[in-house]
Amino acid sequence: MHEHTIVLEGDSRIPDFLTGELQAKLAYVDEGILKATVPADGSRVVLTLREAPDAERARALEVKVRRVLEAMVRGAVRPRQKVLEDHLDRPVPSSADPMPALMERGEVVPEEQGIAALGPLPVRLIEFFERHFVELAEGFGARPYRFPTLIAASLLDRVEYFRSFPHSLTFATHLREDLDVIEGFAKDAHCRDEALHIDPTALSGIRALLSPAVCFHYYGALAGSQLEEGVCATAVGNCFRYESSNMTSLERLWNFTMREIIFVGPKDFVLENRELARSRVSPLLDDWGLAYRVEGANDPFFVGDFKKQVAFQSAFQLKYEIRALIPHRQGTLAVGSYNFHQDFFGRNLGITLPDGNPAFTGCVAFGLERMAYVFLAQYGLDSAAWPEAVRRGAG
Ligand code: ATP
Ligand code: ZN
Ligand code: MG
């Protein structure tokens, strides 16, 4: 391992509101980068590299890093940090990282970076939270759905996902229908350096990906239809986002699960229900004793589109996040989000209102692994210290 520091001068310095986002993006700059850190003052980028670079390689890396900085930093405007609810100072008993104990007890078993099996303790917590989320959805008359883990490439294309989030895609492929290819693969297949050794020409074209979210499936199901009135649906599903070296513990997984409550209809219908959901979720979080805050946020767009999209989302208050306290690192983590997409999906997929105009959409999404993780980070593994409601429901 080798450390390489890039010093930033003048207006290429990174403003504090971008350090987290930038650090996350730098992981995707080059396969040789194991970790990228930006100190709080934004004056440097410190790359931890797989191996020491020669002068030419160091220059090439620096050019790529500066390209990211150029795209994300120059002219970026500080987003209006709108805080809607603040319960971050709620006292919680634990300040320990729950991961070592969870792994030692076999409650979390890592399979690969970003892939983990969960045991009874986190599962009972997730089932407990889920019962309440399902009840919440029923309160909106939500129609229950089950969506596949795979999603059609054509659907993601129609909702312009490839342009906004190319870095986090996970492709599904299979061997081509060809006897020689299949026999050749069966004979030679083996893992080398933990990756499957395979001739890329043996693989099929890509018609499906692993789904990055739940609600796209519902918009896809409504494509080309005219709604008589606003509709609400709910589903839980596996979601996949390749987050490179940012994948750590249960905080950031490649494969995680989301419960979504989805609204499609007239603008006011979607916005009012998003607010109503927020007013019904907070009492639950309070009951569970969580320290959290609800604030304006943006989606993790890739470098090229980042500045424009973020400014847009922030100006129109399209996304709020429930950010729960992570005491052991004095930070917060999003456990859920309230999203408003305006008529974006309605337009792209031809979902219309009775007057023929495109429908509006919004969704409320909870990350289930993160719910369990933040609860355990705030309350520890021993249910004796848990709030009454959670002890009764999940202890
Ligand atoms: P983050 O800001 O942490 O990158 P996000 O803004 O991409 O998350 P959303 O798209 O709003 O997240 O997804 C809804 C919820 O799904 C998040 O609030 C979080 O709880 C969960 N989630 C998102 N990405 C991951 C992941 N990689 N691992 C685990 N949970 C995740
Ligand atoms: Zn959604
Ligand atoms: Mg976010």
Side-chain angles (χ1 to χ4, degrees):
M1 278 205 308
H2 177 86
E3 251 186 29
H4 182 76
T5 301
I6 300 173
V7 177
L8 308 174
E9 311 279 348
D11 66 356
S12 71
R13 289 216 175 164
I14 302 157
D16 60 341
F17 64 88
L18 273 180
T19 51
E21 209 100 41
L22 197 91
Q23 203 162 283
K25 291 292 178 289
L26 288 171
Y28 299 94
V29 163
D30 192 282
E31 284 178 318
I33 298 175
L34 294 173
K35 199 174 85 186
T37 47
V38 177
D41 70 359
S43 65
R44 275 162 298 143
V45 173
V46 182
L47 303 176
T48 306
L49 302 173
R50 230 171 268 282
E51 53 197 42
D54 59 24
E56 192 185 345
R57 170 105 175 99
R59 230 181 355 260
L61 273 171
E62 198 159 324
V63 167
K64 282 205 269 186
V65 168
R66 288 195 190 273
R67 219 162 81 208
V68 173
L69 292 177
E70 176 70 18
M72 287 180 68
V73 175
R74 187 187 291 265
V77 277
R78 180 179 293 273
R80 274 190 294 158
Q81 253 336 339
K82 187 168 173 188
V83 176
L84 290 90
E85 292 165 54
D86 196 346
H87 311 281
L88 264 190
D89 57 0
R90 177 169 286 150
V92 292
S94 184
S95 55
D97 178 355
M99 281 307 283
L102 284 168
M103 294 206 292
E104 198 192 318
R105 296 185 199 181
E107 295 283 0
V108 174
V109 185
E111 293 184 6
E112 239 297 347
Q113 204 184 3
I115 309 178
L118 302 185
L121 176 65
V123 166
R124 287 199 183 101
L125 281 169
I126 286 174
E127 286 175 351
F128 168 74
F129 297 132
E130 261 286 79
R131 284 200 293 279
H132 289 273
F133 294 146
V134 169
E135 208 172 280
L136 173 76
E138 284 167 357
F140 289 95
R143 297 151 59 82
Y145 277 79
R146 284 174 67 86
F147 297 122
T149 293
L150 294 174
I151 191 162
S154 56
L155 178 54
L156 287 184
D157 189 19
R158 288 181 77 185
V159 301
E160 298 173 30
Y161 198 86
F162 301 140
R163 204 181 69 194
S164 297
F165 307 99
H167 54 303
S168 59
L169 295 168
T170 313
F171 304 95
T173 174
H174 56 83
L175 294 177
R176 288 192 292 113
E177 289 92 338
D178 182 315
L179 194 59
D180 298 329
V181 164
I182 297 170
E183 283 179 346
F185 173 81
K187 202 154 60 70
D188 292 343
H190 63 280
C191 273
R192 191 195 294 155
D193 300 329
E194 288 169 47
L196 183 59
H197 179 64
I198 191 170
D199 169 9
T201 63
L203 295 174
S204 68
I206 290 161
R207 304 180 56 174
L209 291 88
L210 293 172
S211 189
V214 172
C215 60
F216 299 159
H217 291 282
Y218 188 56
Y219 310 138
L222 295 178
S225 68
Q226 183 158 50
L227 303 175
E228 278 164 31
E229 54 182 4
V231 287
C232 177
T234 190
V236 65
N238 268 291
C239 296
F240 301 81
R241 296 183 190 174
Y242 179 70
E243 305 220 26
S244 184
S245 55
N246 304 309
M247 297 187 288
T248 48
S249 74
L250 293 185
E251 287 201 24
R252 205 166 281 285
L253 294 163
W254 189 354
N255 180 176
F256 61 100
T257 43
M258 232 194 262
R259 160 69 60 182
E260 290 205 42
I261 305 173
I262 306 154
F263 302 102
V264 185
K267 182 177 184 183
D268 289 347
F269 168 85
V270 174
L271 281 174
E272 280 163 20
N273 278 309
R274 179 172 77 152
E275 274 312 285
L276 194 57
R278 192 162 69 77
S279 75
R280 291 178 184 174
V281 168
S282 293
L284 293 174
L285 303 177
D286 295 339
D287 241 22
W288 303 337
L290 289 173
Y292 69 98
R293 177 153 100 175
V294 181
E295 63 184 24
N298 57 262
D299 280 315
F301 300 106
F302 196 58
V303 177
D305 265 3
F306 187 82
K307 254 182 330 216
K308 224 174 44 203
Q309 302 248 45
V310 164
F312 185 80
Q313 279 197 325
S314 160
F316 291 95
Q317 300 184 23
L318 300 188
K319 187 180 180 87
Y320 304 131
E321 276 180 347
I322 305 165
R323 300 197 66 91
L325 181 69
I326 304 293
H328 64 268
R329 60 169 178 77
Q330 279 135 34
T332 61
L333 179 69
V335 293
S337 61
Y338 303 98
N339 304 283
F340 178 51
H341 316 113
Q342 300 177 310
D343 62 355
F344 176 81
F345 291 104
R347 260 189 293 117
N348 283 32
L349 296 173
I351 311 167
T352 53
L353 296 169
D355 63 8
N357 284 320
F360 290 76
T361 65
C363 68
V364 181
F366 300 100
L368 300 182
E369 292 81 2
R370 284 193 188 176
M371 282 297 305
Y373 174 80
V374 302
F375 181 81
L376 294 168
Q378 295 186 8
Y379 282 90
L381 275 61
D382 180 2
S383 63
W386 294 0
E388 170 68 16
V390 186
R391 201 169 57 234
R392 255 188 297 117

